[in-house]
Amino acid sequence: MTRYAELAAEYGTPLYVYDLDRVAEARRALFAALPESFELYYAMKANPHPEVAAVLREDPDRACRAEISSTGELAAALAAGFPAGDCLYTGPGKTAAELDAAIGAGVRTFSVESPGDLRHIGAAARRHGAVADCLLRINSVSASASTSIRMTGAPSQFGIDRETLDELLPELLRVPGTRIAGAHFFPLSNAKDEASLLAEFEHTLAVAAELRDTLGLPVRLLDIGGGFAMPYGVPGERPRYDKLRSGLEAALDARFPDWREGTPRFACESGRYLVGGCGELLCGVVNVKESRGRGFAILDGGINVFGGMAGLGRLLPVAVRPSGAEASRRATLAGPLCTPGDFLGREVEVPPLAEGDVVAVPNAGAYGVTASLLMFLGRPAATEVVVRGGEVVSVSRIEHRRNFDVPRAGAHR
Ligand SMILES: *Cc1c(COP(=O)(O)O)cnc(C)c1O
């Protein structure tokens, strides 16, 4: 039995296994791919497990900061040991209650998605006698790279349209309780290759320099976003970005000649690149059946434990191990839920499967548990095992319970 099969036998399936050594490797690789002084925000939404997240800040010289977007992610970041003062709070719908919680906990840096969002941040900061450092998230007019998920250049709930800033900026600079500290860009996720990633960053740096030069946008911190790629639920390696650092340095020399002295500060963001490769999802085969000439394997976990966003039209091309066996065949991997949408893979290449076998979905460390339909059909969440140096560090599971003691809205103030 392999080590992971032993863990599946010991703790049951569905089971996530996260290897912290792989998180540390990814963190080192990404810092090495960026210019020396760059900061890196870890997007907690990729995997907020406190031990996984803690590895991203354990090296004091190259520690990630946390990018958070809810009260739950704030709690997860604090539980993982990220100082609140280093967190970046993002998202288009920050409520008064969550802004109060964040500022009360010591968060001082916010990405601003609209003029209304900026006013809400300012009002919350003033309730706490604080001033919030705000990065204007920019929705650029155009963008360059090709990607699987694009979030800029079109009408969007994210960011402030570049072409409206000439008129808006003077009033944005005067919102009480706030100080405009720079800009935030996040135009793409999962870039297709290194060249398109670099092209997008070059474009972003050009737009930021233009905002500084033509509009006088204050720029103390520039978060130029991410797009660092990682296979999701399929075999494959974390990409190498060997040319990114020198390419970025050249672009910085051209647009921000003082960057080597630390002015302004620069940051990138990543979720999937940092943690995607640390995790594997193990599911047990509950049943095998044939239907009209097609093979089905029914697993004990489906979109309730992985790839719940499949229901949003993003069907995953999941592959499983062990594969490549001589007798491999095609089968559909269905989950246990009573919905025709519960598949981990349709007609995928699998070895002959039998009841009691365990299939492994690789590269499932990012957007696993938290991007799944946890409540649908009421099954328990997957168990999450953390290993380091081959040893089990912890075993846990997210539990839901209904609380009948809900305070009235507004009672938080
Ligand atoms: C989701 C998100 C990320 C992380 O994206 P990955 O593709 O996982 O790297 C980073 N920044 C922001 C603002 C996000 O919303």
Side-chain angles (χ1 to χ4, degrees), residues 31 69 93 100 104 108 111 122 134 160 224-225 232 238 261 269-271 277 317 330 365 376 399:
F31 270 116
S69 193
D100 277 334
R108 288 294 179 272
S111 168
C134 291
I160 301 171
I224 63 171
Y232 182 39
R238 188 160 32 74
E261 278 77 63
E269 306 173 345
S270 174
R330 288 190 164 269
F376 198 38
E399 307 275 357

mmCIF file of all heavy atoms in Angstrom, residues 31 69 93 100 104 108 111 122 134 160 224-225 232 238 261 269-271 277 317 330 365 376 399:
data_model
loop_
_atom_site.group_PDB
_atom_site.id
_atom_site.type_symbol
_atom_site.label_atom_id
_atom_site.label_comp_id
_atom_site.label_asym_id
_atom_site.label_seq_id
_atom_site.Cartn_x
_atom_site.Cartn_y
_atom_site.Cartn_z
ATOM 1 N N PHE A 31 8.759 33.156 -4.606
ATOM 2 C CA PHE A 31 9.575 34.307 -4.204
ATOM 3 C C PHE A 31 10.810 34.414 -5.101
ATOM 4 O O PHE A 31 11.212 35.507 -5.495
ATOM 5 C CB PHE A 31 9.980 34.209 -2.730
ATOM 6 C CG PHE A 31 9.002 34.852 -1.783
ATOM 7 C CD1 PHE A 31 8.315 34.098 -0.839
ATOM 8 C CD2 PHE A 31 8.769 36.222 -1.821
ATOM 9 C CE1 PHE A 31 7.419 34.690 0.051
ATOM 10 C CE2 PHE A 31 7.875 36.834 -0.942
ATOM 11 C CZ PHE A 31 7.193 36.063 -0.011
ATOM 12 N N SER A 69 -11.060 38.227 2.264
ATOM 13 C CA SER A 69 -12.226 38.857 1.663
ATOM 14 C C SER A 69 -13.507 38.614 2.449
ATOM 15 O O SER A 69 -14.598 38.814 1.927
ATOM 16 C CB SER A 69 -12.381 38.325 0.228
ATOM 17 O OG SER A 69 -13.298 39.106 -0.471
ATOM 18 N N GLY A 93 -18.128 43.587 -2.214
ATOM 19 C CA GLY A 93 -19.307 43.789 -1.369
ATOM 20 C C GLY A 93 -18.994 43.773 0.110
ATOM 21 O O GLY A 93 -19.620 43.052 0.884
ATOM 22 N N ASP A 100 -16.187 46.614 10.097
ATOM 23 C CA ASP A 100 -15.964 46.861 11.529
ATOM 24 C C ASP A 100 -15.110 45.759 12.141
ATOM 25 O O ASP A 100 -14.188 46.028 12.909
ATOM 26 C CB ASP A 100 -17.299 46.942 12.277
ATOM 27 C CG ASP A 100 -17.930 48.323 12.169
ATOM 28 O OD1 ASP A 100 -17.173 49.303 11.977
ATOM 29 O OD2 ASP A 100 -19.160 48.418 12.275
ATOM 30 N N GLY A 104 -11.501 46.570 13.433
ATOM 31 C CA GLY A 104 -11.380 46.296 14.868
ATOM 32 C C GLY A 104 -10.246 45.329 15.166
ATOM 33 O O GLY A 104 -9.575 45.426 16.189
ATOM 34 N N ARG A 108 -5.625 47.297 8.101
ATOM 35 C CA ARG A 108 -5.556 48.707 7.706
ATOM 36 C C ARG A 108 -5.400 48.900 6.197
ATOM 37 O O ARG A 108 -5.355 50.026 5.728
ATOM 38 C CB ARG A 108 -4.362 49.395 8.415
ATOM 39 C CG ARG A 108 -4.572 49.622 9.900
ATOM 40 C CD ARG A 108 -5.695 50.623 10.173
ATOM 41 N NE ARG A 108 -5.916 50.819 11.604
ATOM 42 C CZ ARG A 108 -6.736 50.061 12.341
ATOM 43 N NH1 ARG A 108 -7.420 49.077 11.775
ATOM 44 N NH2 ARG A 108 -6.879 50.293 13.631
ATOM 45 N N SER A 111 -8.398 46.931 -0.611
ATOM 46 C CA SER A 111 -8.554 47.148 -2.042
ATOM 47 C C SER A 111 -9.948 47.713 -2.243
ATOM 48 O O SER A 111 -10.915 47.207 -1.688
ATOM 49 C CB SER A 111 -8.398 45.816 -2.774
ATOM 50 O OG SER A 111 -8.818 45.952 -4.116
ATOM 51 N N GLY A 122 -14.104 54.132 4.567
ATOM 52 C CA GLY A 122 -13.795 55.344 5.326
ATOM 53 C C GLY A 122 -14.698 55.484 6.543
ATOM 54 O O GLY A 122 -14.242 55.824 7.642
ATOM 55 N N CYS A 134 -5.820 52.708 1.274
ATOM 56 C CA CYS A 134 -6.668 52.128 0.238
ATOM 57 C C CYS A 134 -5.954 52.041 -1.104
ATOM 58 O O CYS A 134 -5.349 53.009 -1.556
ATOM 59 C CB CYS A 134 -7.933 52.967 0.091
ATOM 60 S SG CYS A 134 -8.985 52.819 1.549
ATOM 61 N N ILE A 160 -12.463 49.791 -10.454
ATOM 62 C CA ILE A 160 -12.963 51.069 -10.949
ATOM 63 C C ILE A 160 -12.485 51.209 -12.388
ATOM 64 O O ILE A 160 -11.303 51.029 -12.680
ATOM 65 C CB ILE A 160 -12.415 52.215 -10.067
ATOM 66 C CG1 ILE A 160 -12.866 52.004 -8.602
ATOM 67 C CG2 ILE A 160 -12.850 53.566 -10.601
ATOM 68 C CD1 ILE A 160 -12.216 52.943 -7.617
ATOM 69 N N ILE A 224 0.371 44.313 -8.188
ATOM 70 C CA ILE A 224 0.166 44.082 -9.627
ATOM 71 C C ILE A 224 -0.518 42.743 -9.915
ATOM 72 O O ILE A 224 -0.598 42.318 -11.056
ATOM 73 C CB ILE A 224 1.485 44.216 -10.423
ATOM 74 C CG1 ILE A 224 2.511 43.159 -9.991
ATOM 75 C CG2 ILE A 224 2.064 45.617 -10.260
ATOM 76 C CD1 ILE A 224 3.751 43.108 -10.910
ATOM 77 N N GLY A 225 -1.024 42.095 -8.882
ATOM 78 C CA GLY A 225 -1.867 40.913 -9.090
ATOM 79 C C GLY A 225 -1.085 39.638 -9.302
ATOM 80 O O GLY A 225 0.028 39.478 -8.805
ATOM 81 N N TYR A 232 -5.168 21.885 -12.130
ATOM 82 C CA TYR A 232 -6.241 21.765 -11.138
ATOM 83 C C TYR A 232 -6.952 20.430 -11.322
ATOM 84 O O TYR A 232 -7.663 20.229 -12.302
ATOM 85 C CB TYR A 232 -7.202 22.932 -11.333
ATOM 86 C CG TYR A 232 -8.370 23.021 -10.368
ATOM 87 C CD1 TYR A 232 -8.228 22.728 -9.017
ATOM 88 C CD2 TYR A 232 -9.608 23.445 -10.814
ATOM 89 C CE1 TYR A 232 -9.299 22.846 -8.142
ATOM 90 C CE2 TYR A 232 -10.690 23.573 -9.952
ATOM 91 C CZ TYR A 232 -10.529 23.272 -8.615
ATOM 92 O OH TYR A 232 -11.599 23.403 -7.761
ATOM 93 N N ARG A 238 3.931 22.134 -11.194
ATOM 94 C CA ARG A 238 3.913 23.575 -10.990
ATOM 95 C C ARG A 238 4.789 24.198 -12.081
ATOM 96 O O ARG A 238 5.904 23.738 -12.296
ATOM 97 C CB ARG A 238 4.518 23.841 -9.608
ATOM 98 C CG ARG A 238 4.439 25.213 -9.130
ATOM 99 C CD ARG A 238 4.593 25.326 -7.602
ATOM 100 N NE ARG A 238 5.444 24.378 -6.908
ATOM 101 C CZ ARG A 238 6.781 24.395 -6.929
ATOM 102 N NH1 ARG A 238 7.437 25.277 -7.625
ATOM 103 N NH2 ARG A 238 7.460 23.503 -6.244
ATOM 104 N N GLU A 261 15.235 51.059 -4.591
ATOM 105 C CA GLU A 261 15.337 51.680 -3.259
ATOM 106 C C GLU A 261 14.071 51.421 -2.441
ATOM 107 O O GLU A 261 13.915 51.956 -1.340
ATOM 108 C CB GLU A 261 15.543 53.193 -3.377
ATOM 109 C CG GLU A 261 16.985 53.625 -3.640
ATOM 110 C CD GLU A 261 17.397 53.409 -5.087
ATOM 111 O OE1 GLU A 261 16.785 54.045 -5.972
ATOM 112 O OE2 GLU A 261 18.286 52.571 -5.340
ATOM 113 N N GLU A 269 0.198 38.504 -6.043
ATOM 114 C CA GLU A 269 -0.768 37.674 -5.310
ATOM 115 C C GLU A 269 -0.820 36.285 -5.914
ATOM 116 O O GLU A 269 -0.707 36.137 -7.124
ATOM 117 C CB GLU A 269 -2.179 38.246 -5.451
ATOM 118 C CG GLU A 269 -2.307 39.662 -5.066
ATOM 119 C CD GLU A 269 -3.685 40.205 -5.392
ATOM 120 O OE1 GLU A 269 -4.448 39.584 -6.161
ATOM 121 O OE2 GLU A 269 -3.979 41.271 -4.864
ATOM 122 N N SER A 270 -1.033 35.300 -5.085
ATOM 123 C CA SER A 270 -1.244 33.951 -5.611
ATOM 124 C C SER A 270 -2.024 33.099 -4.634
ATOM 125 O O SER A 270 -1.873 33.221 -3.418
ATOM 126 C CB SER A 270 0.095 33.277 -5.900
ATOM 127 O OG SER A 270 -0.123 31.918 -6.274
ATOM 128 N N GLY A 271 -2.816 32.225 -5.193
ATOM 129 C CA GLY A 271 -3.474 31.180 -4.423
ATOM 130 C C GLY A 271 -3.041 29.817 -4.945
ATOM 131 O O GLY A 271 -2.268 29.090 -4.336
ATOM 132 N N GLY A 277 -0.451 22.287 -5.583
ATOM 133 C CA GLY A 277 0.297 21.035 -5.684
ATOM 134 C C GLY A 277 0.500 20.299 -4.372
ATOM 135 O O GLY A 277 0.997 19.171 -4.366
ATOM 136 N N PRO A 317 -11.660 18.673 -15.887
ATOM 137 C CA PRO A 317 -11.143 17.492 -16.582
ATOM 138 C C PRO A 317 -10.334 16.644 -15.608
ATOM 139 O O PRO A 317 -9.139 16.499 -15.725
ATOM 140 C CB PRO A 317 -10.242 18.107 -17.662
ATOM 141 C CG PRO A 317 -9.761 19.396 -17.060
ATOM 142 C CD PRO A 317 -10.792 19.840 -16.050
ATOM 143 N N ARG A 330 -12.128 3.665 -20.253
ATOM 144 C CA ARG A 330 -12.833 4.911 -19.957
ATOM 145 C C ARG A 330 -13.995 4.626 -19.028
ATOM 146 O O ARG A 330 -14.686 3.630 -19.176
ATOM 147 C CB ARG A 330 -13.359 5.544 -21.240
ATOM 148 C CG ARG A 330 -12.229 6.107 -22.052
ATOM 149 C CD ARG A 330 -12.687 6.948 -23.214
ATOM 150 N NE ARG A 330 -11.535 7.702 -23.656
ATOM 151 C CZ ARG A 330 -11.216 8.918 -23.199
ATOM 152 N NH1 ARG A 330 -12.013 9.527 -22.356
ATOM 153 N NH2 ARG A 330 -10.124 9.507 -23.595
ATOM 154 N N GLY A 365 -4.911 20.800 -3.946
ATOM 155 C CA GLY A 365 -4.647 21.572 -2.720
ATOM 156 C C GLY A 365 -5.274 22.946 -2.715
ATOM 157 O O GLY A 365 -5.425 23.562 -1.663
ATOM 158 N N PHE A 376 -24.704 20.651 0.304
ATOM 159 C CA PHE A 376 -25.656 20.012 -0.596
ATOM 160 C C PHE A 376 -25.752 18.516 -0.292
ATOM 161 O O PHE A 376 -24.761 17.802 -0.340
ATOM 162 C CB PHE A 376 -25.203 20.261 -2.036
ATOM 163 C CG PHE A 376 -26.281 20.055 -3.059
ATOM 164 C CD1 PHE A 376 -27.587 20.439 -2.815
ATOM 165 C CD2 PHE A 376 -25.980 19.487 -4.284
ATOM 166 C CE1 PHE A 376 -28.574 20.262 -3.769
ATOM 167 C CE2 PHE A 376 -26.952 19.308 -5.249
ATOM 168 C CZ PHE A 376 -28.258 19.691 -4.987
ATOM 169 N N GLU A 399 -17.052 21.116 10.383
ATOM 170 C CA GLU A 399 -18.385 20.662 10.796
ATOM 171 C C GLU A 399 -19.385 21.806 10.640
ATOM 172 O O GLU A 399 -19.071 22.946 10.923
ATOM 173 C CB GLU A 399 -18.374 20.254 12.289
ATOM 174 C CG GLU A 399 -17.320 19.249 12.679
ATOM 175 C CD GLU A 399 -17.756 17.815 12.440
ATOM 176 O OE1 GLU A 399 -18.902 17.611 12.016
ATOM 177 O OE2 GLU A 399 -16.925 16.908 12.675
#
